[in-house]
């Protein structure tokens, strides 16, 4: 019986065909090209939906091209179908937005050609079934995005951002290439399903252990993890559709690599520990710096840094279905946020106030965090009765999320807080706990059968879980208490340093000559 081709494989072909046509009309108002670009992107969404139905009807499909085994392989399963549908949908929305946004630009046709080619490369990446396909697609994504970032080549800031992106993305690609070679040497294959099988059979060979470290390194570079996050916060010189595609789609490539090779990554405790430490610190650092930003789009960029750190943390804890759900939710939110950023300025300005509605004291903060954890424990017990107990990693992640909203309860428990605020903040924390466990169940039902369960918590895992909860808890308490000492001169100085990202980006600028680049014409 002949295996049907995954419908999503036709989407990159269509996008590349329209991209080639657009490249022949690179100038201003290139006739029907913008409408054809939008139509091609919409058809890609339709093909992704059709592939989802195909997967439901006939099960996973692995397509291996003739030639040397385990080299050119494509895969249709729950993970690739989800990512293909997400990428195609975001790409369609961004392309539709760009049709009006770029109308009349000097290189309008060239923009649509680059956007469609880059989108096609991302679709190939998420459908890859082997490391060679993934590496080639990643290289193509890097080239496409670099040219999009240089859409206004006369802007020095754009050239600097493109140079730093190319450096970080390129190092990630080199790490992927070396990891692929090591895995070939260790197992004689680079096909994802075979690698998953080998990873579950026995402890990893030495070469495979090194390969997992390189995969984590590649993911860190591609998700703009600390301390190489600076390029992600400087891409605002590119058109807004480029920022939306980057922050809502391309930046997730590192997380996708980890999820696709989850069984292999989880077989290395050191790789998992590195993800927890690096991801947790990046999440905290990005969130704190985000709070000090005055520009809407810059704040969104730092939010992406924080969210990518949280994604790495979820992978390090072995919560793979939640990590995939995180990619989907963050992509949809961030695409909307960037495309609506222009109209959001006035709205944000109206919402900003000199401080919180009610300033809680130390006692109110402590009571608030205790109440938040008590509510969370009650919800956890209820879900455990209904659906079974959760892993320590899942409970720890939920506790971190609840600690992040506990400062709202602290405002509600302040002496000057109205009763309505108290009830509203307590209800918000209770709802957040219910939503977390509900989404956990949903993600587990959809993607859990295709991803490994969290590892059994040993001494290393418990140490990392404790470290993560304590660290996020201390930062949350500091955030809740910040209004008390916000007017101290030391706080003002700290805010300036944080607003500049502790100047780590300037260090990278000097390393790659970025400051000299900005002085050129």
């Amino acid at each position: 019986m002949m295996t049907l081709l995954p419908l999503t494989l036709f989407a990159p072909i269509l996008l590349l065909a329209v991209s080639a046509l657009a490249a022949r009309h690179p100038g201003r108002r290139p006739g029907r090209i913008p409408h054809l670009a939008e139509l091609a992107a919409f058809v890609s969404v339709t093909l992704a939906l059709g592939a989802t139905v195909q997967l439901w009807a006939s099960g996973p499909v692995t397509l291996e091209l003739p030639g040397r085994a385990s080299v050119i392989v494509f895969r249709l399963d729950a993970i690739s179908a989800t990512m293909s549908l997400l990428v195609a949908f975001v790409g369609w929305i961004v392309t539709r937005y760009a049709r009006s946004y770029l109308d009349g630009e000097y290189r309008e046709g060239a923009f649509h050609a680059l956007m469609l080619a880059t989108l096609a490369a991302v679709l190939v990446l998420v459908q890859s079934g082997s490391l060679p396909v993934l590496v080639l697609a990643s290289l193509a994504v890097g080239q496409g995005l670099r040219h999009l970032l240089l859409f206004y080549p006369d802007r020095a800031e754009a050239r600097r951002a493109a140079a730093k992106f190319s450096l970080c993305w390129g190092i990630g690609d080199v790490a992927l290439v070396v990891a692929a070679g090591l895995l070939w040497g260790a197992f004689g294959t680079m096909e994802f399903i075979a690698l998953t099988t080998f990873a579950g059979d026995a402890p990893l060979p030495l070469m495979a252990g090194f390969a997992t470290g390189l995969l984590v390194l590649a993911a860190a570079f591609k998700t703009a993890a600390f301390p190489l996050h600076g390029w992600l916060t400087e891409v605002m010189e590119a058109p807004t559709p480029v920022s939306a595609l980057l922050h809502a789609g391309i930046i997730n490539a590192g997380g996708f690599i980890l999820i696709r090779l989850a069984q292999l990554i989880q077989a290395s405790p050191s790789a998992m520990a590195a993800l927890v430490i690096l991801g947790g610190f990046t999440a905290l650092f990005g969130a704190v710096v985000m709070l000090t930003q005055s520009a809407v789009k810059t704040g969104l960029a730092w939010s992406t840094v924080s969210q990518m750190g949280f994604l790495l943390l979820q992978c390090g804890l072995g919560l793979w279905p939640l990590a995939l759900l995180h990619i989907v939710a963050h992509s949809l939110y961030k695409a909307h946020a960037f495309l609506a950023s222009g109209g959001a300025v006035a709205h944000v300005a109206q919402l900003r106030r000199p401080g919180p509605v009610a300033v809680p004291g130390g006692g109110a903060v402590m009571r608030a965090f205790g109440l938040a954890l008590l509510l969370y424990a009650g919800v956890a017990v209820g879900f455990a009765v209904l659906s079974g107990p959760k892993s320590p990693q899942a409970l720890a992640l939920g506790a971190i999320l609840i600690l992040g909203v506990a400062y709202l309860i602290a405002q509600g428990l302040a002496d000057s807080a109205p009763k309505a605020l108290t009830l509203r903040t307590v209800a918000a924390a209770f709802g957040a706990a219910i939503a977390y466990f509900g989404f956990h169940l949903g993600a587990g039902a959809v993607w859990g059968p295709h991803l490994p369960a969290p590892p059994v918590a040993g001494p290393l895992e418990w140490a990392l879980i404790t470290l993560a909860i304590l660290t996020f808890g201390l930062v949350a308490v500091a955030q809740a208490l910040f209004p008390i000492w916000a007017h101290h001169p030391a706080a003002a100085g700290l805010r300036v340093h944080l607003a500049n990202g502790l100047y780590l980006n300037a260090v990278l600028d000097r390393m790659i000559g970025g400051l000299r680049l900005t002085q050129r014409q």
Side-chain angles (χ1 to χ4, degrees):
M1 179 177 179
M2 181 178 294
T3 301
L4 293 176
L5 291 177
L7 292 176
T8 42
L9 286 180
F10 295 100
I13 298 173
L14 173 64
L15 294 173
L16 287 175
V18 179
S19 173
L21 180 62
R24 298 178 59 185
H25 304 82
R28 182 183 289 115
R29 294 204 168 93
R32 304 296 297 175
I33 292 298
H35 295 275
L36 287 175
E38 180 186 343
L39 178 61
F42 177 76
V43 173
S44 297
V45 178
T46 305
L47 290 171
L49 284 171
T52 303
V53 176
Q54 180 182 4
L55 173 66
W56 176 79
S58 58
V61 177
T62 299
L63 175 64
E64 186 173 333
L65 298 188
R68 192 173 181 85
S70 305
V71 176
I72 307 300
V73 183
F74 297 92
R75 174 76 175 168
L76 173 64
D77 57 15
I79 299 171
S80 63
T82 299
M83 292 299 299
S84 295
L85 183 58
L86 175 66
V87 170
F89 178 75
V90 171
W92 171 53
I93 296 299
V94 170
T95 305
R96 180 179 176 84
Y97 181 90
R99 180 166 61 85
S100 300
Y101 185 90
L102 273 295
D103 184 36
E105 282 283 350
Y106 175 67
R107 299 173 59 228
E108 183 180 353
F111 177 88
H112 288 291
L114 289 170
M115 178 64 74
L116 292 180
T118 305
L119 185 59
V122 178
L123 282 171
V124 172
L125 188 149
V126 299
Q127 297 179 73
S128 58
S130 64
L131 280 168
V133 176
L134 188 147
V135 169
L136 292 174
S138 181
L139 289 169
V141 170
Q143 286 299 310
L145 185 57
R146 179 179 179 276
H147 285 88
L148 285 171
L149 292 175
L150 288 171
F151 185 73
Y152 299 117
D154 56 323
R155 299 182 180 181
E157 292 82 0
R159 296 197 302 271
R160 183 177 65 183
K164 285 196 285 190
F165 162 76
S166 298
L167 174 66
C168 294
W169 194 270
I171 293 175
D173 287 336
V174 171
L176 284 177
V177 171
V178 178
L182 291 174
L183 290 172
W184 176 267
F187 300 121
T189 182
M190 291 181 285
E191 196 261 331
F192 293 152
I193 298 301
L195 290 174
T196 297
T197 302
F198 282 120
D201 288 342
L204 292 179
L206 182 60
M207 283 196 297
F210 282 124
T212 59
L214 289 170
L215 292 172
V216 169
L217 181 66
F221 273 94
K222 292 182 180 296
T223 54
F226 179 92
L228 298 172
H229 53 274
W231 65 267
L232 187 60
T233 63
E234 291 187 350
V235 297
M236 305 310 164
E237 293 300 318
T240 295
V242 178
S243 299
L245 181 65
L246 169 60
H247 287 262
I250 294 175
I251 194 64
N252 295 310
F256 169 77
I257 292 170
L258 295 175
I259 293 171
R260 175 51 83 191
L261 293 166
Q263 191 73 51
L264 183 66
I265 300 296
Q266 190 162 300
S268 172
S270 58
M272 299 289 282
L275 286 171
V276 171
I277 296 172
L278 180 62
F281 188 85
T282 301
L284 289 172
F285 179 74
V288 171
V289 176
M290 178 192 67
L291 296 175
T292 65
Q293 302 301 309
S294 56
V296 173
K297 291 178 72 174
T298 305
L300 289 174
W302 279 104
S303 168
T304 300
V305 172
S306 178
Q307 291 297 323
M308 290 301 101
F310 205 74
L311 173 62
L312 296 180
L313 172 64
Q314 289 172 307
C315 293
L317 292 174
L319 302 174
W320 304 104
L322 282 178
L324 186 53
L325 176 63
H326 187 180
I327 288 179
V328 174
H330 176 259
S331 295
L332 296 176
Y333 158 72
K334 200 55 64 75
H336 173 269
F338 267 98
L339 297 181
S341 60
V345 174
H347 180 66
V348 171
Q350 293 174 356
L351 291 178
R352 284 186 174 174
R353 301 181 176 89
V357 176
V359 178
V365 169
M366 294 300 105
R367 291 195 301 272
F369 277 81
L371 178 58
L373 292 175
L374 184 62
L375 288 172
Y376 172 72
V379 173
V381 171
F383 272 87
V385 172
L386 294 175
S387 59
K390 299 295 182 290
S391 66
Q393 293 91 331
L395 294 174
L397 184 69
I400 289 172
L401 292 174
I402 293 302
L403 290 173
V405 300
Y407 78 97
L408 295 175
I409 299 181
Q411 292 184 25
L413 295 181
D415 294 337
S416 59
K419 185 176 181 180
L421 178 63
T422 303
L423 295 176
R424 189 164 62 248
T425 54
V426 172
F430 185 69
I434 294 178
Y436 169 74
F437 285 106
F439 283 128
H440 189 281
L441 287 176
V446 176
W447 300 300
H450 312 281
L451 292 166
V456 177
L460 176 61
E461 286 76 15
W462 278 112
L464 292 172
I465 288 172
T466 303
L467 177 64
I469 293 177
L470 289 178
T471 304
F472 277 88
L474 288 174
V475 172
V477 170
Q479 180 185 7
L481 292 175
F482 182 78
I484 299 176
W485 51 277
H487 301 290
H488 191 279
L494 178 61
R495 183 182 182 88
V496 171
H497 298 318
L498 288 174
N500 288 280
L502 300 182
Y503 311 102
L504 291 170
N505 201 25
V507 175
L508 181 59
D509 282 334
R510 291 186 178 276
M511 291 175 61
I512 67 171
L515 294 179
R516 292 192 299 274
L517 183 61
T518 59
Q519 296 170 0
R520 300 174 187 172
Q521 293 185 350

